[in-house]
Amino acid sequence: MMTTPNVTLASPRRDWRMFPQRIVARQQNVRGTTQRFSAQPLILALSAVAFVLYLVLAWRVRRRPQSQLDLRATLLLQRLRSPLIARIFHSASWFGFRPQSLILPSLTIVGFAVTGNRRESLYLVLAWLASLGSFFTKLVVRRPRPQDPLIRIVPAALRDTSFPSGHTIHYTAFWGLTAYFLRRCSSVPVALRRLLISCLGALIALVGPSRVYLGHHWTSDVIGSYLFGGGWLGLLITAYQCGRQTQRE
């Protein structure tokens, strides 16, 4: 006589109980993806506006290199004679001079690469290339450096023309993207991440005024540099986010 083996069927109740949780998880993933993608058109639009304003300002500066408004802004900023303020502005500009302007970005790129973040290191190389925008713009605009006798000019090895500020473009694009990557880097302790991001943010904010304070650039040079560097940074962040989403899919 044949016996029928006892087969215990899994109860579907457990799967049905898990189903709402899966729905919620999927909704959260879709919501996060939607939020990321909804920000990308805005970032691209802001980058486009920044580039347009940069070109308009470059055209304006090329036609009228001298500006009384620039001179007044420089004199107003240089009224700050505090030794502490002077030391802060000198320190903010120091990172943009050679050889440290070559050594520090190189070490940053290598650091990301050897820790397994090769894609991020490639984007940092692209961020460094923003300096080419400064180089070619200087060839076209050819604005003289500040030379007014009322301006206090700190001696430095300045090799090229005034518009735009290479320091400011480099800080905004390269160190701005570095701060963005650090914010996403979960392997770095939170406290250290916050400290590094705060320091980089302070450098980016201070480098522009420091270039004017030291008498190396006009205020319009710095404004144009923030526009170009910010536009370049926005393009790289958008491309990076799109690449990550494509890779996940």
Side-chain angles (χ1 to χ4, degrees):
M1 182 177 178
M2 298 180 60
T3 59
T4 304
N6 294 329
V7 179
T8 303
L9 298 177
S11 174
R13 295 181 179 178
R14 185 176 181 181
D15 292 338
W16 282 106
R17 286 196 301 266
M18 294 295 294
F19 188 71
Q21 299 178 9
R22 294 174 183 172
I23 293 291
V24 172
R26 289 182 181 178
Q27 289 177 344
Q28 291 175 347
N29 291 335
V30 171
R31 189 180 300 114
T33 303
T34 304
Q35 290 175 350
R36 286 193 298 270
F37 271 89
S38 63
Q40 290 172 6
L42 177 60
I43 295 175
L44 284 177
L46 292 175
S47 297
V49 171
F51 284 129
V52 170
L53 292 177
Y54 174 76
L55 292 175
V56 171
L57 184 58
W59 173 79
R60 179 70 174 78
V61 168
R62 191 174 189 276
R63 290 192 62 188
R64 294 185 60 183
Q66 303 299 327
S67 169
Q68 286 297 317
L69 188 60
D70 274 327
L71 178 59
R72 292 173 185 173
T74 301
L75 296 178
L76 180 63
L77 186 60
Q78 289 192 342
R79 287 180 184 176
L80 304 174
R81 296 299 185 99
S82 168
L84 176 60
I85 293 178
R87 192 175 300 113
I88 290 174
F89 282 146
H90 277 80
S91 300
S93 283
W94 180 84
F95 294 94
F97 289 109
R98 294 183 179 183
Q100 54 270 19
S101 64
L102 301 177
I103 295 174
L104 295 177
S106 299
L107 291 177
T108 302
I109 293 171
V110 172
F112 273 90
V114 299
T115 54
N117 300 291
R118 295 182 179 178
R119 189 161 175 268
E120 286 74 8
S121 65
L122 174 61
Y123 273 87
L124 286 175
V125 173
L126 296 177
W128 203 350
L129 292 179
S131 298
L132 291 177
S134 171
F135 174 76
F136 288 115
T137 304
K138 287 176 182 290
L139 293 179
V140 174
V141 177
R142 295 185 175 276
R143 186 186 204 181
R145 296 273 182 172
Q147 296 176 350
D148 194 282
L150 298 177
I151 297 177
R152 185 176 68 258
I153 301 174
V154 176
L158 304 176
R159 301 179 306 277
D160 47 25
T161 54
S162 188
F163 185 92
S165 165
H167 277 66
T168 309
I169 287 180
H170 174 69
Y171 280 39
T172 306
F174 185 87
W175 296 118
L177 190 62
T178 302
Y180 173 77
F181 287 152
L182 285 173
R183 181 176 175 271
R184 302 174 59 91
C185 189
S186 58
S187 60
V188 179
V190 176
L192 180 58
R193 264 190 292 165
R194 291 177 178 175
L195 176 62
L196 292 174
I197 292 172
S198 299
C199 291
L200 292 176
L203 278 177
I204 295 171
L206 289 172
V207 66
S210 75
R211 306 306 294 141
V212 178
Y213 182 84
L214 298 178
H216 298 166
H217 283 282
W218 299 107
T219 303
S220 53
D221 299 340
V222 168
I223 294 175
S225 302
Y226 277 126
L227 289 171
F228 186 90
W232 193 268
L233 175 62
L235 288 180
L236 291 179
I237 290 176
T238 302
Y240 176 79
Q241 291 178 348
C242 291
R244 281 180 59 89
Q245 184 61 30
T246 304
Q247 189 176 19
R248 289 173 183 174
E249 294 176 354

